[in-house]
């Protein structure tokens, strides 16, 4: 079998690289003598002229540095201030600058130049995420004929949204240079096919195949996941280590865990929780919301705005409802260690996973994997998370409708143990069958 060459924006660093993708790809990289390539996270004075090997670890890793200008325009600019909002249904938040696009293309061209000398004819290349959309196009220009796959971790926009992007047609043309494009959900596959056909004039060959001269490309859904068994064991062990105050607390704990990103719908969630408290005075003091949200992409205006809005809302709701013995919302603006998170999920009665738009949402999967099978908590899941296509035994909600979310919250808090167990069993069965190992294997099998 040929080597796997994985290319992502950030390389997993450290002597023992970790994270979902490492779990998914580590074994294949090790078995095939493969290589992972990505940016180091450090800033250099000059654009990188060569790749640098990272010592140690179970598989080979090569990295390069970005300059400050590249970081600002390729990463914070085109990737996170243009593509991210557009792909999450927020074209209104796009910050279009032609410099962003120019540097984005330049960086991708340079990555292709750095990678091309490493390639052997039978290598399979797997490119990760929206930072690297043009990479196959650039590698093809340099003569690469290898199978090249792409996985997009975000949603994909349909033609109406794509029209708002000045170079939407070019984005579709980049995509056509991959042999296989993996998306999170069937809704994304439909949107991508429509965009390829309507915006770029690709011809529909059926069964997810499109032709855009001179190439043919397959678009299919490969929903990403977690290692559910591993997370279950972690949660079971870590539950014992939680501070006594949390476990002994007889209040019902509702948990929310999200980067503080506008796509996650945290303000909507707070309003819905406020609506619930407004309606159900009998639940005052008996329920509290623990929202754990580390700040992300600080310095970008839309992220500064969401931080201010959530701080304001939690302050207002606490001011309105709290009493000397009870604070309705605990809002923590910090990352917490993975194992603590696992224990907290298990200690929670309800999870509010209510993004306005999300590629997959792994928090939903982690919450379910962490539950005690005998007495599991209830997952309230937005219909706009990619996870909703797989996790239909969750309590499905529309995050835009605070009254519906409040009604569902009562249903979740009052749900019988029998029903909770039934829903949990169905969800956990899906998670253990279609776990992260299934994800990488099925994608790589399809890439051939
Ligand atoms: P996204 O990739 O958009 O952030 P996902 O839900 O798919 O959303 O993945 C988020 C990952 O980040 C999960 O593995 C989750 O456990 C982790 N995470 C989110 N918030 C926190 C936090 N406050 N502390 C630690 N980890 C977090």
């Amino acid at each position: 079998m040929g080597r796997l060459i994985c290319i992502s924006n950030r390389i997993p660093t450290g002597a023992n690289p970790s994270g979902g993708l490492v779990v998914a790809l580590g074994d294949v990289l090790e078995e095939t003598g493969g290589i992972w390539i990505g940016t180091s996270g450090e800033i250099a004075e000059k654009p990188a002229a060569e790749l640098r090997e990272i010592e140690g670890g179970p598989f080979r890793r090569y990295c390069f540095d970005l300059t400050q200008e590249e970081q600002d325009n390729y990463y914070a600019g085109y990737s996170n201030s243009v593509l991210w909002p557009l792909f999450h249904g927020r074209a209104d938040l796009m910050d279009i600058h032609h410099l962003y696009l120019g540097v984005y293309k330049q960086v991708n061209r340079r990555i292709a130049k750095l990678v091309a000398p490493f390639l052997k004819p039978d290598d399979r290349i797997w490119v990760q995420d929206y930072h690297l959309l043009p990479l196959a196009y650039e590698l093809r220009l340099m003569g690469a004929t290898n199978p090249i796959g792409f996985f997009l971790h975000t949603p994909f926009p349909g033609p109406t949204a794509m029209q708002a992007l000045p170079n939407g047609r070019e984005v579709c043309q980049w995509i056509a240079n991959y042999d296989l494009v993996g998306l999170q959900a069937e809704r994304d596959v439909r949107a991508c096919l429509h965009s390829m056909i309507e915006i770029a004039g690709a011809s529909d060959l059926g069964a997810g195949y499109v032709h855009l001269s001179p190439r043919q490309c397959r678009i299919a859904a490969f929903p990403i996941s977690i290692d559910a068994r591993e997370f279950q064991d972690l949660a079971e062990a870590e539950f014992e280590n939680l501070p006594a105050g949390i476990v002994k607390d007889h209040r019902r704990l509702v948990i929310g865990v999200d980067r503080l990103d506008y796509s996650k719908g945290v303000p909507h969630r707070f309003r819905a929780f406020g609506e619930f408290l407004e309606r159900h005075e009998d639940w005052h003091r008996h329920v509290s919301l623990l929202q754990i949200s580390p700040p992300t992409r600080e310095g970008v205006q839309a992220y500064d705005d969401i931080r201010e809005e959530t701080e304001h809302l939690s302050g207002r709701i606490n001011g309105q409802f709290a009493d000397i013995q009870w604070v309705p919302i605990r809002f923590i603006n910090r990352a917490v260690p993975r194992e603590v998170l696992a224990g907290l999920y298990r200690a929670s009665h309800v999870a509010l996973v209510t993004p306005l738009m999300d590629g997959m949402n792994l928090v939903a999967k982690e919450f379910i994997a962490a539950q005690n099978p005998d007495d599991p908590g209830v997952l309230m899941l937005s219909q706009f998370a990619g996870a909703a296509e797989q996790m239909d035994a969750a309590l499905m909600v529309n995050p835009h409708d605070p009254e519906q979310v409040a009604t569902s919250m009562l249903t979740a808090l009052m749900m019988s143990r029998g029903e909770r167990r039934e829903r949990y069993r169905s969800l956990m069965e899906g998670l253990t069958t279609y776990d992260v190992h299934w994800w990488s294997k099925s994608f790589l099998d399809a890439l051939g």
Side-chain angles (χ1 to χ4, degrees), residues 2 20 38 50 72 149 196 205 225 242 244 336 362 364:
E50 54 190 17
D72 293 346
M196 297 291 288
L205 305 177
S225 194
L242 285 178
V336 306
L362 293 178

Side-chain angles (χ1 to χ4, degrees), residues 257-259 264 292 294 334-336 341 345 361-363 366:
V257 175
D258 324 67
R259 281 183 307 107
K264 304 292 184 184
I292 306 178
R334 212 170 323 116
V336 306
L341 212 52
Y345 288 139
N361 198 292
L362 293 178
V363 168
E366 291 170 352

Side-chain angles (χ1 to χ4, degrees), residues 8 96 100 108 118 142 192 206 221 228 233 282 285 294-296 378 429:
S8 64
I96 303 279
Y100 288 173
N108 272 277
F118 275 78
M142 292 171 197
C192 184
D233 294 344
D282 50 327
R285 292 203 208 163
T296 174
V378 179
E429 194 181 300

Side-chain angles (χ1 to χ4, degrees), residues 4 24-25 28 124 126 180 222 439-448:
L4 172 64
L25 302 178
V28 194
R124 291 174 301 166
W126 192 357
L180 177 63
F222 298 89
W439 173 77
S440 51
K441 184 175 181 331
S442 60
F443 184 93
L444 288 170
D445 286 351
L447 182 60

Side-chain angles (χ1 to χ4, degrees), residues 20 84 88 129 153-154 184 224 226 231 256-261 263-264 291-297 332-338 341-342 345 353 357-366:
W84 178 274
H88 288 84
D129 232 359
H153 293 253
T154 69
Q184 298 276 31
I224 200 167
I226 58 170
F231 206 84
V257 175
D258 324 67
R259 281 183 307 107
L260 200 43
D261 190 291
S263 64
K264 304 292 184 184
Q291 177 66 43
I292 306 178
S293 281
T296 174
R297 300 172 195 169
I332 301 179
N333 275 163
R334 212 170 323 116
V336 306
R338 186 165 175 273
L341 212 52
Y345 288 139
V353 179
M357 185 49 91
D358 211 331
M360 174 53 57
N361 198 292
L362 293 178
V363 168
K365 296 189 170 182
E366 291 170 352

Side-chain angles (χ1 to χ4, degrees), residues 141-439:
L141 283 182
M142 292 171 197
T145 54
N146 308 59
I148 312 182
F150 178 80
F151 188 79
L152 184 69
H153 293 253
T154 69
F156 196 93
T160 311
M162 204 58 150
Q163 266 166 8
L165 186 67
N167 70 321
R169 187 183 166 90
E170 187 178 33
V171 167
C172 293
Q173 284 162 340
W174 290 334
I175 288 172
N177 283 274
Y178 291 94
D179 297 288
L180 177 63
V181 173
L183 300 170
Q184 298 276 31
E186 294 299 339
R187 76 162 179 213
D188 303 313
V189 172
R190 288 191 294 273
C192 184
L193 287 170
H194 281 150
S195 287
M196 297 291 288
I197 293 162
E198 285 180 36
I199 305 270
S203 33
D204 186 359
L205 305 177
Y209 285 86
V210 288
H211 181 268
L212 188 60
S213 187
R215 302 192 59 86
Q216 181 175 310
C217 149
R218 181 181 168 209
I219 298 161
F222 298 89
I224 200 167
S225 194
I226 58 170
D227 186 334
R229 290 282 179 225
E230 182 263 349
F231 206 84
Q232 184 176 41
D233 294 344
L234 181 70
E236 198 178 338
E238 290 297 330
F239 180 70
E240 306 299 327
N241 299 330
L242 285 178
I246 291 188
V247 184
K248 287 210 192 101
D249 196 335
H250 294 298
R251 282 185 191 122
R252 300 263 154 177
L253 185 61
V254 177
I255 194 167
V257 175
D258 324 67
R259 281 183 307 107
L260 200 43
D261 190 291
Y262 46 80
S263 64
K264 304 292 184 184
V266 178
H268 295 68
R269 184 179 309 167
F270 283 178
R271 278 189 219 104
F273 189 65
E275 173 74 27
F276 176 85
L277 296 176
E278 186 93 51
R279 285 192 197 178
H280 301 287
E281 211 174 320
D282 50 327
W283 275 95
H284 289 195
R285 292 203 208 163
H286 301 297
V287 63
S288 73
L289 170 60
L290 174 63
Q291 177 66 43
I292 306 178
S293 281
T296 174
R297 300 172 195 169
E298 286 167 288
V300 176
Q301 188 60 44
Y303 289 84
D304 296 345
D305 292 347
I306 192 87
R307 176 146 190 183
E308 211 174 290
E309 190 182 3
T310 44
E311 281 169 354
H312 175 80
L313 270 169
S314 60
R316 186 170 65 68
I317 293 166
N318 282 338
Q320 184 178 352
F321 296 104
D323 63 25
I324 51 170
Q325 291 168 352
W326 169 61
V327 181
I329 301 180
R330 275 175 287 172
F331 186 30
I332 301 179
N333 275 163
R334 212 170 323 116
V336 306
R338 186 165 175 273
E339 59 275 12
V340 176
L341 212 52
L344 285 173
Y345 288 139
R346 199 178 174 94
S348 302
H349 298 86
V350 177
L352 277 174
V353 179
T354 55
L356 305 177
M357 185 49 91
D358 211 331
M360 174 53 57
N361 198 292
L362 293 178
V363 168
K365 296 189 170 182
E366 291 170 352
F367 175 77
I368 290 301
Q371 295 310 301
N372 174 356
D374 281 339
D375 189 15
V378 179
L379 172 63
M380 290 176 60
L381 180 60
S382 161
Q383 65 192 85
F384 303 110
E389 281 186 16
Q390 294 175 296
M391 305 183 81
D392 55 0
L395 213 50
M396 222 53 84
V397 294
N398 175 357
H400 296 281
D401 183 347
E403 295 176 26
Q404 189 232 349
V405 176
T407 303
S408 295
M409 197 176 305
L410 185 65
T411 307
L413 288 167
M414 307 280 285
M415 192 179 285
S416 69
R417 183 192 271 223
E419 182 174 349
R420 284 186 280 123
R421 282 162 69 152
E422 213 159 286
R423 287 176 184 264
Y424 165 82
R425 248 201 311 276
S426 159
L427 290 166
M428 195 60 184
E429 194 181 300
L431 282 189
T432 46
T433 311
Y434 300 105
D435 69 0
V436 71
H437 304 289
W438 169 87
W439 173 77

